Amino acid sequence: MLKNTLVTIPKNTKEKPQNGNIYIYHVTESIYHPDKRYNTEKRTCIGKKYDKTKMYPNDNYFKYYDYPEEYIVEAPEFSDCIKIGAMMLFDTQLTKLGISNLLELIIPENNTIFKDLIYYYTFGNNTITQHYKYFIREYYSYCDKIYSDSQISRILNTLTDDNISSFLNSWNELKQDKNEILVDFDGTNMNSSISESSLAEYGKPKDDEGLPQINLSYAIDHNDGMPLFYELYPGSITDMSQTKIMIDKAKNYGYSDKKITFVLDRGMFSKNNLDYLEENGFKYIIMAKTSLEVIHNSIIANMNKIRNKYKYFISSHNLYGITLERDVFNDKKVKYLHIYYDDDKASIERKLLASNLAYYEECLKKELSEKKQKISDLKPYKKYFTFEENDEGYIEKYEVNNQTIQEEMDFCGFFAIVTKDRLDTEYTIDEYRKRDIVEKTFRDIKSYIKMNKFRVHSDTKIKVKTFLTFITSIIKSSISNKLKKYLRENSSETLVTVFKEISKIEVTKINDVYVRKYALTGKQKKILTELDLSEDSLISYIDLLNKGQIGRAHVWTPV
């Protein structure tokens, strides 16, 4: 029965009182009985009488009568069919992680729209605000209405640097439940079309589109992949220069009282950065620059000792390694140098070097065909070729520098990691390679939620968008952790496919009550189990939805 819809009672219908109500019947067939000289009728109930002229129709009504104009009403703001599975999963994570409470405390007036946008970033695969209204109509909302683009823009402008700082302080207090922690730190850059932004400056972009960049650094818990804090800074500042700022942030968030080890990539490797880490009591595992004299010479001195020698084989990573004490920067401070040789890496690098050399020589022949080239014109080739000049100072011929090329060939496959303390060779490479979780986070930010370019028009919007993306990364990391086993056992599945499967769990509104559309599939039950949820959780959540307690500053405790 459609209780929210009234239509005119059709002519020639019949009424039948029942249980205090009057039901309207359509006569489907009239049968005349000549022996008894009267008619009998077959009838179908088409609805319930409201008053003398109106009735509430049911589904049968529309089998026999056209949709009357009074039935065609404006679509409701929120859909009658809601993807409740997605909302339950998101709401669970937001509550369990403590983020829901933090947002309510820090942003008391507008936290619901911020929750909505984080929900949209997470399940909507997007950060473009203009698309939010289409997403939230079917995914349910923490708000009691769907906000327009201009309304959202005004609300986002109310978020201050103090709000963001308060959240990060509180979040890092929640995360400091361990005495020992490894922190991955890395940076990336986003292209920006906002010429007037104080953050957008030309630097060294990873994806060069000829636009100024804004740099973004993340610190991530090495063990569970959970983002801890972040920093936005101008595109002209290098990762190496920004490292000290992130170290200071770690101190300010209280990590100086913990046994903390930073896991860093080659871009942060410098004497100043390592000295600063040590001065502040932090340990480190950092990929070294092999061009540094002490490191380069140490690799050359030990390459024949470890290359393909079973004694130094690390089976878990299919490479060879050795650990040495070295005064890396010639500053009388001993550090531990871990040298590794990877046969697969060596093969790839040798093929690349050979390909590059063939290309260089082809270009060089073209350059010399004019016979008016000087050595100063051929700087890119000087490393691998030697030249002879004629009396006029032009290049007459060249030779391949076989010794230099052989040295590079021999060096292929070697790399080095530096640590403050003596660490096991296998442990060191194991922990360093786990830091690819940072790379995955940045890939996710750029591709999955489309943050590869800032499409906003002020520094405030950039900061807000980055803040919401940071919280989105936390939630997705938490869900990924719970699904590790499931994703490992189901290689064709990804977080994206899981979200799509969970979004198939829907409820539909019938007589003002939300009811499940379909039974749970075996796949959905398995995913819910991995996420510490169940069918009982779903039933409980739908009950709260019908009581109007979902998304309205409620406390949701999964069954």
Side-chain angles (χ1 to χ4, degrees):
M1 203 72 65
L2 306 178
K3 289 186 175 180
N4 293 328
T5 303
L6 286 173
V7 297
T8 302
I9 299 173
K11 293 179 181 180
N12 302 319
T13 53
K14 306 294 182 180
E15 296 183 1
K16 180 181 177 181
Q18 186 178 335
N19 298 327
N21 294 307
I22 298 175
Y23 292 89
I24 308 297
Y25 284 78
H26 171 77
V27 179
T28 60
E29 188 178 358
S30 180
I31 303 171
Y32 178 68
H33 301 275
D35 55 333
K36 296 181 180 179
R37 297 183 179 181
Y38 66 82
N39 294 329
T40 59
E41 296 175 339
K42 289 184 179 180
R43 303 174 181 177
T44 300
C45 181
I46 58 170
K48 187 172 71 173
K49 188 174 183 179
Y50 173 70
D51 59 19
K52 289 182 180 181
T53 60
K54 300 290 183 182
M55 62 174 280
Y56 295 114
N58 61 19
D59 289 340
N60 287 330
Y61 174 92
F62 302 104
K63 293 178 182 178
Y64 305 105
Y65 301 97
D66 292 333
Y67 283 43
E69 287 186 10
E70 61 262 41
Y71 175 73
I72 303 172
V73 295
E74 187 177 346
E77 188 168 29
F78 292 102
S79 173
D80 285 340
C81 185
I82 291 173
K83 299 181 185 298
I84 195 67
M87 184 61 170
M88 179 177 70
L89 173 56
F90 178 80
D91 204 21
T92 301
Q93 291 299 311
L94 207 66
T95 303
K96 282 189 172 182
L97 291 167
I99 294 173
S100 185
N101 284 338
L102 287 182
L103 290 174
E104 288 164 16
L105 287 170
I106 294 164
I107 318 168
E109 290 185 11
N110 295 312
N111 64 83
T112 52
I113 187 61
F114 284 99
K115 288 179 184 178
D116 260 12
L117 289 171
I118 297 164
Y119 182 29
Y120 166 54
Y121 282 22
T122 305
F123 277 88
N125 188 22
N126 218 325
T127 60
I128 300 173
T129 308
Q130 288 88 339
H131 299 169
Y132 155 82
K133 59 188 174 186
Y134 305 110
F135 165 87
I136 209 67
R137 185 173 185 273
E138 294 182 345
Y139 277 79
Y140 199 65
S141 171
Y142 285 93
C143 306
D144 55 8
K145 67 174 184 177
I146 297 177
Y147 287 89
S148 68
D149 298 345
S150 58
Q151 287 173 319
I152 292 173
S153 180
R154 284 194 294 272
I155 291 171
L156 293 184
N157 280 331
T158 65
L159 190 74
T160 66
D161 288 345
D162 286 342
N163 293 144
I164 295 173
S165 180
S166 294
F167 179 90
L168 291 173
N169 281 322
S170 300
W171 171 244
N172 281 277
E173 283 178 17
L174 291 176
K175 286 294 293 175
Q176 291 184 36
D177 55 353
K178 294 174 283 191
N179 287 325
E180 257 185 90
I181 185 171
L182 277 78
V183 174
D184 295 322
F185 164 56
D186 202 356
T188 190
N189 46 50
M190 312 287 187
N191 292 301
S192 175
S193 55
I194 317 168
S195 57
E196 66 272 18
S197 169
S198 62
L199 293 167
E201 295 181 359
Y202 287 97
K204 295 181 178 180
K206 295 177 182 178
D207 302 310
D208 194 353
E209 296 184 16
L211 295 169
Q213 297 84 46
I214 297 171
N215 287 342
L216 173 65
S217 293
Y218 262 46
I220 294 178
D221 189 321
H222 183 80
N223 295 313
D224 62 16
M226 202 78 78
L228 300 171
F229 54 90
Y230 70 92
E231 179 74 10
L232 277 170
Y233 53 101
S236 62
I237 299 176
T238 63
D239 289 345
M240 186 180 291
S241 303
Q242 186 65 16
T243 304
K244 288 186 178 181
I245 304 298
M246 293 297 279
I247 295 169
D248 288 340
K249 274 187 169 286
K251 285 167 53 184
N252 293 336
Y253 288 130
Y255 290 105
S256 55
D257 298 330
K258 310 285 179 183
K259 294 178 181 177
I260 187 169
T261 301
F262 279 95
V263 186
L264 308 167
D265 78 354
R266 187 183 286 105
M268 287 83 169
F269 186 79
S270 73
K271 181 181 184 309
N272 287 340
N273 282 341
L274 298 196
D275 284 347
Y276 198 68
L277 282 163
E278 292 181 19
E279 288 167 14
N280 286 281
F282 294 133
K283 301 176 184 179
Y284 49 81
I285 298 172
I286 185 167
M287 182 65 72
K289 292 180 178 177
T290 53
S291 58
L292 197 68
E293 183 180 5
V294 172
I295 296 174
H296 187 85
N297 292 340
S298 295
I299 291 175
I300 291 173
N302 288 276
M303 59 172 50
N304 292 327
K305 181 178 181 180
I306 68 169
R307 184 195 283 126
N308 299 328
K309 298 298 190 294
Y310 186 73
K311 178 181 178 181
Y312 300 105
F313 185 59
I314 302 172
S315 59
S316 58
H317 292 279
N318 196 32
L319 47 67
Y320 304 83
I322 191 173
T323 299
L324 310 167
E325 281 189 20
R326 287 291 183 272
D327 182 0
V328 172
F329 295 108
N330 292 316
D331 58 358
K332 298 182 180 180
K333 293 179 181 178
V334 172
K335 292 174 175 55
Y336 293 89
L337 179 65
H338 308 266
I339 298 172
Y340 299 95
Y341 173 74
D342 185 331
D343 217 17
D344 293 334
K345 185 173 184 287
S347 177
I348 293 169
E349 289 177 351
R350 288 188 189 111
K351 286 179 182 177
L352 181 62
L353 178 59
S355 175
N356 287 342
L357 287 168
Y359 175 73
Y360 291 157
E361 191 161 10
E362 184 182 341
C363 293
L364 188 58
K365 286 177 181 177
K366 290 180 181 178
E367 294 270 8
L368 295 178
S369 63
E370 297 180 13
K371 297 186 178 181
K372 288 188 177 181
Q373 300 294 330
K374 295 189 176 183
I375 290 179
S376 58
D377 299 325
L378 302 174
K379 284 183 180 179
Y381 307 103
K382 287 180 70 176
K383 182 177 181 181
Y384 300 112
F385 303 94
T386 57
F387 303 99
E388 285 187 20
E389 297 174 310
N390 59 23
D391 294 339
E392 296 176 355
Y394 295 114
I395 302 298
E396 196 164 75
K397 65 177 182 178
Y398 72 90
E399 289 185 4
V400 175
N401 190 336
N402 289 309
Q403 182 180 345
T404 299
I405 293 171
Q406 188 58 53
E407 287 175 359
E408 284 212 17
M409 283 283 187
D410 292 340
F411 213 83
C412 289
F414 283 93
F415 62 96
I417 295 173
V418 170
T419 60
K420 178 181 181 294
D421 296 337
R422 176 181 284 279
L423 300 175
D424 177 74
T425 313
E426 181 175 2
Y427 170 83
T428 302
I429 186 63
D430 192 47
E431 294 304 321
Y432 184 81
R433 285 192 166 175
K434 285 179 186 175
R435 77 175 301 284
D436 68 345
I437 196 165
V438 190
E439 303 291 342
K440 289 176 182 175
T441 298
F442 284 136
R443 280 199 303 272
D444 183 70
I445 290 170
K446 285 188 170 187
S447 59
Y448 179 65
I449 50 177
K450 298 176 175 61
M451 274 278 284
N452 59 312
K453 187 185 290 184
F454 284 110
R455 294 179 175 86
V456 290
H457 302 287
S458 69
D459 281 354
T460 300
K461 294 286 173 49
I462 290 171
K463 291 176 182 178
V464 173
K465 194 171 186 179
T466 305
F467 172 66
L468 297 177
T469 304
F470 174 76
I471 299 177
T472 302
S473 298
I474 293 173
I475 292 165
K476 293 184 67 186
S477 294
S478 176
I479 295 172
S480 294
N481 280 331
K482 291 182 177 297
L483 290 173
K484 273 183 182 176
K485 180 184 174 185
Y486 176 82
L487 295 175
R488 189 169 57 247
E489 293 174 352
N490 299 272
S491 57
S492 63
E493 295 285 335
T494 64
L495 200 58
V496 176
T497 62
V498 167
F499 283 176
K500 289 184 182 297
E501 188 64 36
I502 289 296
S503 295
K504 291 179 186 177
I505 302 173
E506 298 176 336
V507 290
T508 189
K509 188 185 282 186
I510 299 176
N511 293 338
D512 281 341
V513 176
Y514 285 105
V515 296
R516 285 162 64 184
K517 254 186 127 175
Y518 313 107
L520 293 177
T521 65
K523 185 177 182 180
Q524 288 166 347
K525 288 178 181 178
K526 190 172 182 180
I527 292 172
L528 289 177
T529 299
E530 296 294 329
L531 294 166
D532 300 327
L533 295 168
S534 65
E535 192 159 7
D536 287 340
S537 304
L538 180 60
I539 292 168
S540 169
Y541 201 76
I542 295 170
D543 183 53
L544 286 175
L545 177 65
N546 283 318
K547 291 176 180 176
Q549 295 176 1
I550 294 298
R552 307 290 185 263
H554 67 287
V555 178
W556 156 234
T557 306
V559 176

